[in-house]
Short mmCIF file of all heavy atoms in Angstrom, two decimals:
data_model
loop_
_atom_site.label_atom_id
_atom_site.label_comp_id
_atom_site.label_asym_id
_atom_site.label_seq_id
_atom_site.Cartn_x
_atom_site.Cartn_y
_atom_site.Cartn_z
N PHE Y 189 -13.44 -5.64 3.22
CA PHE Y 189 -13.51 -6.02 4.63
C PHE Y 189 -14.14 -4.94 5.50
O PHE Y 189 -14.27 -5.13 6.71
CB PHE Y 189 -12.11 -6.33 5.19
CG PHE Y 189 -11.55 -7.63 4.70
CD1 PHE Y 189 -10.19 -7.79 4.52
CD2 PHE Y 189 -12.38 -8.69 4.44
CE1 PHE Y 189 -9.66 -9.00 4.08
CE2 PHE Y 189 -11.87 -9.91 3.99
CZ PHE Y 189 -10.51 -10.06 3.82
N ALA Y 190 -14.50 -3.80 4.91
CA ALA Y 190 -15.06 -2.70 5.70
C ALA Y 190 -16.40 -3.12 6.30
O ALA Y 190 -17.21 -3.80 5.66
CB ALA Y 190 -15.24 -1.47 4.82
N ILE Y 191 -16.62 -2.73 7.55
CA ILE Y 191 -17.87 -3.02 8.21
C ILE Y 191 -18.93 -2.03 7.73
O ILE Y 191 -18.59 -1.05 7.07
CB ILE Y 191 -17.72 -2.96 9.75
CG1 ILE Y 191 -17.30 -1.56 10.21
CG2 ILE Y 191 -16.72 -3.97 10.23
CD1 ILE Y 191 -17.18 -1.43 11.71
N PRO Y 192 -20.22 -2.25 8.01
CA PRO Y 192 -21.27 -1.39 7.45
C PRO Y 192 -21.07 0.10 7.67
O PRO Y 192 -21.47 0.90 6.85
CB PRO Y 192 -22.53 -1.90 8.16
CG PRO Y 192 -22.25 -3.33 8.44
CD PRO Y 192 -20.78 -3.40 8.74
N GLN Y 193 -20.43 0.50 8.78
CA GLN Y 193 -20.22 1.93 9.03
C GLN Y 193 -19.09 2.50 8.18
O GLN Y 193 -18.82 3.70 8.22
CB GLN Y 193 -19.91 2.18 10.51
CG GLN Y 193 -21.08 1.95 11.45
CD GLN Y 193 -21.35 0.48 11.70
OE1 GLN Y 193 -20.53 -0.37 11.38
NE2 GLN Y 193 -22.50 0.17 12.30
N GLY Y 194 -18.41 1.65 7.42
CA GLY Y 194 -17.36 2.12 6.54
C GLY Y 194 -15.97 2.02 7.11
O GLY Y 194 -15.00 2.43 6.46
N THR Y 195 -15.80 1.48 8.31
CA THR Y 195 -14.48 1.36 8.93
C THR Y 195 -13.76 0.15 8.38
O THR Y 195 -14.30 -0.96 8.36
CB THR Y 195 -14.61 1.24 10.46
OG1 THR Y 195 -15.29 2.39 10.96
CG2 THR Y 195 -13.23 1.16 11.09
N VAL Y 196 -12.53 0.35 7.92
CA VAL Y 196 -11.72 -0.75 7.40
C VAL Y 196 -10.96 -1.37 8.56
O VAL Y 196 -10.13 -0.72 9.20
CB VAL Y 196 -10.74 -0.25 6.32
CG1 VAL Y 196 -9.86 -1.39 5.86
CG2 VAL Y 196 -11.50 0.35 5.16
N THR Y 197 -11.26 -2.63 8.86
CA THR Y 197 -10.65 -3.28 10.02
C THR Y 197 -9.38 -4.03 9.67
O THR Y 197 -8.65 -4.46 10.56
CB THR Y 197 -11.65 -4.27 10.64
OG1 THR Y 197 -12.09 -5.20 9.64
CG2 THR Y 197 -12.86 -3.53 11.21
N LEU Y 198 -9.13 -4.24 8.39
CA LEU Y 198 -7.91 -4.91 7.93
C LEU Y 198 -7.47 -4.23 6.64
O LEU Y 198 -8.25 -4.16 5.69
CB LEU Y 198 -8.18 -6.40 7.71
CG LEU Y 198 -7.05 -7.22 7.03
CD1 LEU Y 198 -5.81 -7.23 7.93
CD2 LEU Y 198 -7.52 -8.64 6.74
N TRP Y 199 -6.23 -3.73 6.61
CA TRP Y 199 -5.73 -3.00 5.46
C TRP Y 199 -4.55 -3.76 4.85
O TRP Y 199 -3.39 -3.51 5.17
CB TRP Y 199 -5.33 -1.59 5.87
CG TRP Y 199 -5.04 -0.66 4.75
CD1 TRP Y 199 -3.87 0.01 4.54
CD2 TRP Y 199 -5.92 -0.29 3.67
NE1 TRP Y 199 -3.98 0.78 3.41
CE2 TRP Y 199 -5.22 0.62 2.86
CE3 TRP Y 199 -7.24 -0.63 3.35
CZ2 TRP Y 199 -5.79 1.18 1.72
CZ3 TRP Y 199 -7.80 -0.07 2.21
CH2 TRP Y 199 -7.09 0.82 1.41
N PRO Y 200 -4.81 -4.72 3.94
CA PRO Y 200 -3.74 -5.53 3.36
C PRO Y 200 -2.64 -4.75 2.66
O PRO Y 200 -1.48 -5.20 2.68
CB PRO Y 200 -4.51 -6.43 2.37
CG PRO Y 200 -5.91 -6.48 2.88
CD PRO Y 200 -6.15 -5.12 3.47
N PRO Y 201 -2.92 -3.59 2.01
CA PRO Y 201 -1.82 -2.88 1.33
C PRO Y 201 -0.66 -2.51 2.25
O PRO Y 201 0.48 -2.43 1.80
CB PRO Y 201 -2.50 -1.61 0.79
CG PRO Y 201 -3.93 -1.99 0.63
CD PRO Y 201 -4.22 -2.93 1.75
N ALA Y 202 -0.95 -2.28 3.54
CA ALA Y 202 0.15 -1.97 4.48
C ALA Y 202 1.13 -3.13 4.55
O ALA Y 202 2.35 -2.94 4.57
CB ALA Y 202 -0.42 -1.66 5.86
N GLY Y 203 0.60 -4.35 4.57
CA GLY Y 203 1.47 -5.52 4.60
C GLY Y 203 2.15 -5.78 3.28
O GLY Y 203 3.32 -6.20 3.23
N VAL Y 204 1.45 -5.50 2.18
CA VAL Y 204 2.04 -5.68 0.86
C VAL Y 204 3.23 -4.74 0.69
O VAL Y 204 4.32 -5.15 0.26
CB VAL Y 204 1.00 -5.43 -0.24
CG1 VAL Y 204 1.66 -5.38 -1.62
CG2 VAL Y 204 -0.08 -6.51 -0.21
N MET Y 205 3.04 -3.48 1.03
CA MET Y 205 4.12 -2.51 0.88
C MET Y 205 5.29 -2.81 1.78
O MET Y 205 6.46 -2.72 1.37
CB MET Y 205 3.59 -1.10 1.16
CG MET Y 205 2.75 -0.52 0.05
SD MET Y 205 3.68 -0.30 -1.49
CE MET Y 205 4.86 0.96 -0.98
N LEU Y 206 5.02 -3.18 3.04
CA LEU Y 206 6.12 -3.49 3.96
C LEU Y 206 6.91 -4.68 3.46
O LEU Y 206 8.15 -4.67 3.49
CB LEU Y 206 5.56 -3.76 5.36
CG LEU Y 206 6.59 -4.12 6.43
CD1 LEU Y 206 7.63 -3.01 6.59
CD2 LEU Y 206 5.91 -4.40 7.76
N GLY Y 207 6.22 -5.72 3.00
CA GLY Y 207 6.91 -6.90 2.50
C GLY Y 207 7.77 -6.59 1.29
O GLY Y 207 8.92 -7.05 1.20
N ILE Y 208 7.23 -5.81 0.35
CA ILE Y 208 8.00 -5.48 -0.86
C ILE Y 208 9.21 -4.61 -0.51
O ILE Y 208 10.31 -4.82 -1.05
CB ILE Y 208 7.10 -4.77 -1.87
CG1 ILE Y 208 6.01 -5.72 -2.37
CG2 ILE Y 208 7.92 -4.24 -3.05
CD1 ILE Y 208 5.01 -5.07 -3.29
N LEU Y 209 9.03 -3.64 0.37
CA LEU Y 209 10.16 -2.79 0.75
C LEU Y 209 11.25 -3.58 1.47
O LEU Y 209 12.45 -3.35 1.24
CB LEU Y 209 9.67 -1.65 1.65
CG LEU Y 209 8.90 -0.52 0.95
CD1 LEU Y 209 8.23 0.39 1.98
CD2 LEU Y 209 9.83 0.29 0.06
N LEU Y 210 10.87 -4.50 2.33
CA LEU Y 210 11.86 -5.29 3.06
C LEU Y 210 12.63 -6.22 2.13
O LEU Y 210 13.80 -6.52 2.36
CB LEU Y 210 11.19 -6.10 4.17
CG LEU Y 210 10.62 -5.31 5.34
CD1 LEU Y 210 9.95 -6.24 6.35
CD2 LEU Y 210 11.71 -4.50 6.03
N LEU Y 211 11.99 -6.68 1.07
CA LEU Y 211 12.67 -7.57 0.12
C LEU Y 211 13.45 -6.80 -0.93
O LEU Y 211 14.43 -7.32 -1.48
CB LEU Y 211 11.63 -8.46 -0.58
CG LEU Y 211 10.96 -9.52 0.30
CD1 LEU Y 211 9.82 -10.18 -0.46
CD2 LEU Y 211 11.97 -10.56 0.75
N GLY Y 212 13.03 -5.58 -1.23
CA GLY Y 212 13.67 -4.80 -2.28
C GLY Y 212 14.97 -4.16 -1.84
O GLY Y 212 15.26 -4.01 -0.65
N GLU Y 213 15.77 -3.76 -2.81
CA GLU Y 213 17.01 -3.06 -2.54
C GLU Y 213 16.72 -1.58 -2.27
O GLU Y 213 15.74 -1.03 -2.75
CB GLU Y 213 17.97 -3.19 -3.72
CG GLU Y 213 18.34 -4.64 -4.03
CD GLU Y 213 19.29 -4.74 -5.21
OE1 GLU Y 213 19.87 -3.69 -5.59
OE2 GLU Y 213 19.45 -5.84 -5.74
N ARG Y 214 17.61 -0.96 -1.49
CA ARG Y 214 17.40 0.44 -1.13
C ARG Y 214 17.27 1.33 -2.37
O ARG Y 214 16.50 2.29 -2.38
CB ARG Y 214 18.55 0.93 -0.26
CG ARG Y 214 18.45 0.51 1.21
CD ARG Y 214 17.41 1.35 1.93
NE ARG Y 214 17.35 1.04 3.35
CZ ARG Y 214 18.10 1.62 4.27
NH1 ARG Y 214 18.98 2.54 3.92
NH2 ARG Y 214 17.98 1.29 5.54
N ARG Y 215 18.03 1.02 -3.42
CA ARG Y 215 17.98 1.85 -4.62
C ARG Y 215 16.64 1.76 -5.33
O ARG Y 215 16.30 2.63 -6.15
CB ARG Y 215 19.11 1.46 -5.57
CG ARG Y 215 19.05 0.03 -6.07
CD ARG Y 215 20.33 -0.34 -6.80
NE ARG Y 215 20.34 -1.73 -7.24
CZ ARG Y 215 20.01 -2.12 -8.47
NH1 ARG Y 215 19.64 -1.21 -9.36
NH2 ARG Y 215 20.05 -3.39 -8.81
N ASP Y 216 15.86 0.72 -5.01
CA ASP Y 216 14.54 0.56 -5.62
C ASP Y 216 13.42 1.16 -4.77
O ASP Y 216 12.27 1.19 -5.22
CB ASP Y 216 14.24 -0.92 -5.86
CG ASP Y 216 15.18 -1.55 -6.87
OD1 ASP Y 216 15.67 -0.82 -7.75
OD2 ASP Y 216 15.43 -2.77 -6.79
N TRP Y 217 13.74 1.59 -3.57
CA TRP Y 217 12.70 2.11 -2.68
C TRP Y 217 11.93 3.29 -3.26
O TRP Y 217 10.70 3.34 -3.13
CB TRP Y 217 13.30 2.47 -1.32
CG TRP Y 217 13.43 1.27 -0.41
CD1 TRP Y 217 13.37 -0.04 -0.79
CD2 TRP Y 217 13.63 1.28 0.99
NE1 TRP Y 217 13.54 -0.86 0.31
CE2 TRP Y 217 13.70 -0.08 1.41
CE3 TRP Y 217 13.78 2.27 1.95
CZ2 TRP Y 217 13.89 -0.44 2.75
CZ3 TRP Y 217 13.98 1.91 3.28
CH2 TRP Y 217 14.02 0.57 3.67
N PRO Y 218 12.58 4.27 -3.92
CA PRO Y 218 11.79 5.37 -4.50
C PRO Y 218 10.74 4.87 -5.50
O PRO Y 218 9.59 5.37 -5.50
CB PRO Y 218 12.85 6.25 -5.17
CG PRO Y 218 14.09 5.99 -4.40
CD PRO Y 218 14.03 4.53 -4.04
N ALA Y 219 11.11 3.91 -6.34
CA ALA Y 219 10.16 3.37 -7.31
C ALA Y 219 9.05 2.60 -6.61
O ALA Y 219 7.88 2.67 -7.01
CB ALA Y 219 10.88 2.46 -8.30
N ILE Y 220 9.38 1.86 -5.56
CA ILE Y 220 8.38 1.11 -4.82
C ILE Y 220 7.39 2.05 -4.14
O ILE Y 220 6.17 1.85 -4.20
CB ILE Y 220 9.06 0.18 -3.79
CG1 ILE Y 220 9.90 -0.88 -4.49
CG2 ILE Y 220 8.02 -0.47 -2.88
CD1 ILE Y 220 10.75 -1.72 -3.55
N VAL Y 221 7.92 3.08 -3.49
CA VAL Y 221 7.05 4.04 -2.81
C VAL Y 221 6.18 4.79 -3.82
O VAL Y 221 4.99 5.03 -3.58
CB VAL Y 221 7.90 5.04 -1.98
CG1 VAL Y 221 7.02 6.16 -1.43
CG2 VAL Y 221 8.59 4.31 -0.83
N ALA Y 222 6.76 5.13 -4.98
CA ALA Y 222 5.98 5.80 -6.01
C ALA Y 222 4.84 4.91 -6.49
O ALA Y 222 3.71 5.37 -6.70
CB ALA Y 222 6.88 6.18 -7.19
N GLY Y 223 5.12 3.62 -6.65
CA GLY Y 223 4.08 2.70 -7.05
C GLY Y 223 2.99 2.58 -6.01
O GLY Y 223 1.79 2.54 -6.34
N GLY Y 224 3.39 2.54 -4.74
CA GLY Y 224 2.40 2.49 -3.68
C GLY Y 224 1.54 3.74 -3.64
O GLY Y 224 0.33 3.67 -3.41
N PHE Y 225 2.17 4.89 -3.88
CA PHE Y 225 1.42 6.16 -3.89
C PHE Y 225 0.38 6.15 -5.02
O PHE Y 225 -0.79 6.51 -4.81
CB PHE Y 225 2.38 7.33 -4.07
CG PHE Y 225 1.72 8.67 -4.04
CD1 PHE Y 225 1.57 9.37 -2.85
CD2 PHE Y 225 1.22 9.26 -5.21
CE1 PHE Y 225 0.95 10.61 -2.81
CE2 PHE Y 225 0.60 10.49 -5.18
CZ PHE Y 225 0.46 11.17 -3.98
N VAL Y 226 0.80 5.73 -6.20
CA VAL Y 226 -0.12 5.70 -7.34
C VAL Y 226 -1.25 4.70 -7.09
O VAL Y 226 -2.42 4.98 -7.37
CB VAL Y 226 0.64 5.34 -8.63
CG1 VAL Y 226 -0.33 5.11 -9.79
CG2 VAL Y 226 1.63 6.43 -8.99
N GLY Y 227 -0.91 3.52 -6.55
CA GLY Y 227 -1.93 2.53 -6.27
C GLY Y 227 -2.92 2.98 -5.22
O GLY Y 227 -4.13 2.75 -5.36
N SER Y 228 -2.42 3.64 -4.18
CA SER Y 228 -3.30 4.17 -3.14
C SER Y 228 -4.20 5.27 -3.68
O SER Y 228 -5.41 5.30 -3.41
CB SER Y 228 -2.47 4.70 -1.96
OG SER Y 228 -3.28 5.28 -0.97
N LEU Y 229 -3.62 6.17 -4.45
CA LEU Y 229 -4.40 7.26 -5.05
C LEU Y 229 -5.50 6.71 -5.95
O LEU Y 229 -6.66 7.12 -5.87
CB LEU Y 229 -3.47 8.18 -5.83
CG LEU Y 229 -4.10 9.41 -6.48
CD1 LEU Y 229 -4.59 10.39 -5.42
CD2 LEU Y 229 -3.08 10.10 -7.41
N GLY Y 230 -5.13 5.77 -6.80
CA GLY Y 230 -6.10 5.20 -7.72
C GLY Y 230 -7.21 4.44 -7.03
O GLY Y 230 -8.38 4.54 -7.41
N SER Y 231 -6.86 3.68 -5.99
CA SER Y 231 -7.87 2.89 -5.28
C SER Y 231 -8.87 3.78 -4.55
O SER Y 231 -10.07 3.49 -4.53
CB SER Y 231 -7.20 1.93 -4.30
OG SER Y 231 -6.56 2.64 -3.25
N ASP Y 232 -8.38 4.88 -3.95
CA ASP Y 232 -9.29 5.78 -3.23
C ASP Y 232 -10.21 6.53 -4.19
O ASP Y 232 -11.40 6.71 -3.92
CB ASP Y 232 -8.48 6.77 -2.39
CG ASP Y 232 -7.99 6.16 -1.09
OD1 ASP Y 232 -8.35 5.00 -0.82
OD2 ASP Y 232 -7.23 6.82 -0.37
N ILE Y 233 -9.66 6.99 -5.31
CA ILE Y 233 -10.49 7.68 -6.29
C ILE Y 233 -11.52 6.71 -6.87
O ILE Y 233 -12.70 7.06 -7.05
CB ILE Y 233 -9.62 8.29 -7.40
CG1 ILE Y 233 -8.74 9.40 -6.83
CG2 ILE Y 233 -10.48 8.83 -8.54
CD1 ILE Y 233 -7.77 9.98 -7.83
N PHE Y 234 -11.09 5.50 -7.16
CA PHE Y 234 -12.00 4.49 -7.69
C PHE Y 234 -13.11 4.17 -6.70
O PHE Y 234 -14.24 3.83 -7.10
CB PHE Y 234 -11.21 3.21 -8.02
CG PHE Y 234 -12.04 2.09 -8.57
CD1 PHE Y 234 -12.43 2.10 -9.91
CD2 PHE Y 234 -12.43 1.04 -7.77
CE1 PHE Y 234 -13.20 1.06 -10.42
CE2 PHE Y 234 -13.20 0.00 -8.27
CZ PHE Y 234 -13.59 0.01 -9.61
N SER Y 235 -12.80 4.28 -5.40
CA SER Y 235 -13.78 3.98 -4.36
C SER Y 235 -14.65 5.18 -4.01
O SER Y 235 -15.45 5.11 -3.07
CB SER Y 235 -13.08 3.46 -3.10
OG SER Y 235 -12.35 2.27 -3.39
#
């Protein structure tokens, strides 16, 4: 969705992470956040 100048105008992962955290149990939050960190790291390096 990035425009030609490279600006991302819609960032779906923010909504994905918020939805998963709100549905998940507190004890699972560290694993969820760790997964988000790995996914974000991998996507940026891949890009």
